[in-house]
Amino acid sequence: MADKNDSFDNYLDSHYIHRSNWLRAAVLGANDGILSTASIAIGVAAASSAREPVILATLAGLVAGALSMAAGEYVSVSSQTDVEKADIEREKEELEEMPELELQRLAEIYEERGLKKETALIVAKELTAHDALGAHIRDELGINDISKAKPLQASLASGAAFTVGGLLPFMATLITPLDTMEYYLYAFALLFLIILGAVSAKTGGSSIGKAIIRITFWGTAAMGLTALVGYLFNVNVA
C-alpha cells in the first residue's frame, strides 16, 4: 500500500504546473537581468572611449535592477495576496449569512463543469459538510495551493535570477575589447538568452524552440534599440 502511495505522489510531482509561480518569477528576473545590464553596457559602450564608465554604469544597473525587481515583485504579488484575502473574507461572510444560496452556487459550478444537476447538488453538499470555505475558495474563487500568490518566494526568485542574469554581461564588460565591446556584449547576451530559453522551457515542459525564438527576438530588439540610442546621441563618455 505504501508503494502505491509513493508512486502516486511521484506521479503528481511530475506535473510542471507546480513550478509555475517560482519559474515565472525566475525567468522574468533572469531575462530582465541579462537584457537590462547588457543593454546598458551596449548603450554606454557605443558612446564611450573608456572602459570605466561602461563598468560603472553596468554595475549600477545590475544592483539597482536586482533590488527593484525583488521589491517590485514583492509589492505586486502582495497586492494579489491582498485581493485573495479580501475575497476569502467576503466568502466567509456570505457562507454565514446565506449558506443555502452559497450551496446552490457551488452546485451550479459543478453542473457547469459537466455533472448532472442531482449529482452536482450531492457533491456540493458533501464538500460543504467537509469544508465549506475550502470548497468555495477552490471552486468559486479559483484559488488553490498552486496558483496562490507567494510574495516572498516570487521576490527572492526574481531578485536572485536578475542578479545571476545581470552578472553575465557585467563580466563581459571586464574582459572584452573596448572598441568592439558592444558586439561581444550582444553575442554573449544572445547566447545567455538562448540558454535561458532552453532551460526555462525544459523546466516548464514546453517547446524549447519556441522559447528560444521568443526570448532571442525580443532580446535582440531591446539591445539593438539601446545601441542605436548610444550611436545617435554619440556622447563621448570618457
Side-chain angles (χ1 to χ4, degrees):
M1 185 68 178
D3 292 338
K4 288 184 178 180
N5 288 335
D6 290 341
S7 298
F8 186 68
D9 289 338
N10 291 334
Y11 168 74
L12 290 178
D13 288 342
S14 66
H15 288 281
Y16 297 107
I17 191 66
H18 294 278
R19 307 170 182 173
S20 60
N21 278 331
W22 65 262
L23 182 60
R24 179 200 61 81
V27 171
L28 176 64
N31 181 72
D32 203 16
I34 294 170
L35 283 181
S36 295
T37 52
S39 295
I40 290 172
I42 289 172
V44 177
S48 179
S49 58
R51 184 181 299 273
E52 287 75 12
V54 182
I55 295 174
L56 181 60
T58 308
L59 181 60
L62 170 59
V63 175
L67 295 176
S68 176
M69 179 65 71
E73 194 73 19
Y74 185 84
V75 170
S76 64
V77 178
S78 293
S79 299
Q80 181 183 340
T81 303
D82 292 340
V83 172
E84 291 176 353
K85 289 179 178 178
D87 271 345
I88 292 172
E89 288 301 317
R90 179 180 175 183
E91 202 61 42
K92 285 181 181 178
E93 294 178 3
E94 291 175 347
L95 283 169
E96 292 175 0
E97 296 173 0
M98 49 186 94
E100 289 299 324
L101 187 61
E102 286 297 299
L103 175 64
Q104 188 60 40
R105 174 59 186 144
L106 200 60
E108 289 174 358
I109 291 172
Y110 299 141
E111 189 177 350
E112 289 170 0
R113 292 180 182 175
L115 295 181
K116 294 180 180 179
K117 189 170 185 178
E118 297 78 9
T119 308
L121 185 57
I122 292 172
V123 172
K125 286 181 177 179
E126 291 187 2
L127 288 177
T128 297
H130 174 68
D131 182 7
L133 181 60
H136 282 273
I137 290 174
R138 181 181 61 253
D139 295 319
E140 185 177 350
L141 301 181
I143 301 172
N144 54 51
D145 290 337
I146 296 174
S147 64
K148 190 175 182 181
K150 299 178 179 67
L152 187 59
Q153 181 193 63
S155 175
L156 292 175
S158 189
F162 186 101
T163 301
V164 173
L167 278 173
L168 299 174
F170 172 71
M171 291 172 62
T173 64
L174 303 175
I175 59 174
T176 55
L178 181 62
D179 55 344
T180 55
M181 183 182 289
E182 56 265 38
Y183 303 108
Y184 277 102
L185 283 167
Y186 170 74
F188 278 125
L190 200 60
L191 174 62
F192 301 147
L193 288 173
I194 290 172
I195 294 172
L196 174 62
V199 171
S200 62
K202 183 68 175 177
T203 306
S206 57
S207 169
I208 294 178
K210 286 183 179 178
I212 290 175
I213 292 172
R214 180 172 59 239
I215 203 168
T216 53
F217 173 79
W218 291 108
T220 299
M223 290 183 291
L225 289 172
T226 308
L228 180 62
V229 170
Y231 280 116
L232 288 177
F233 282 91
N234 195 26
V235 179
N236 186 17
V237 183

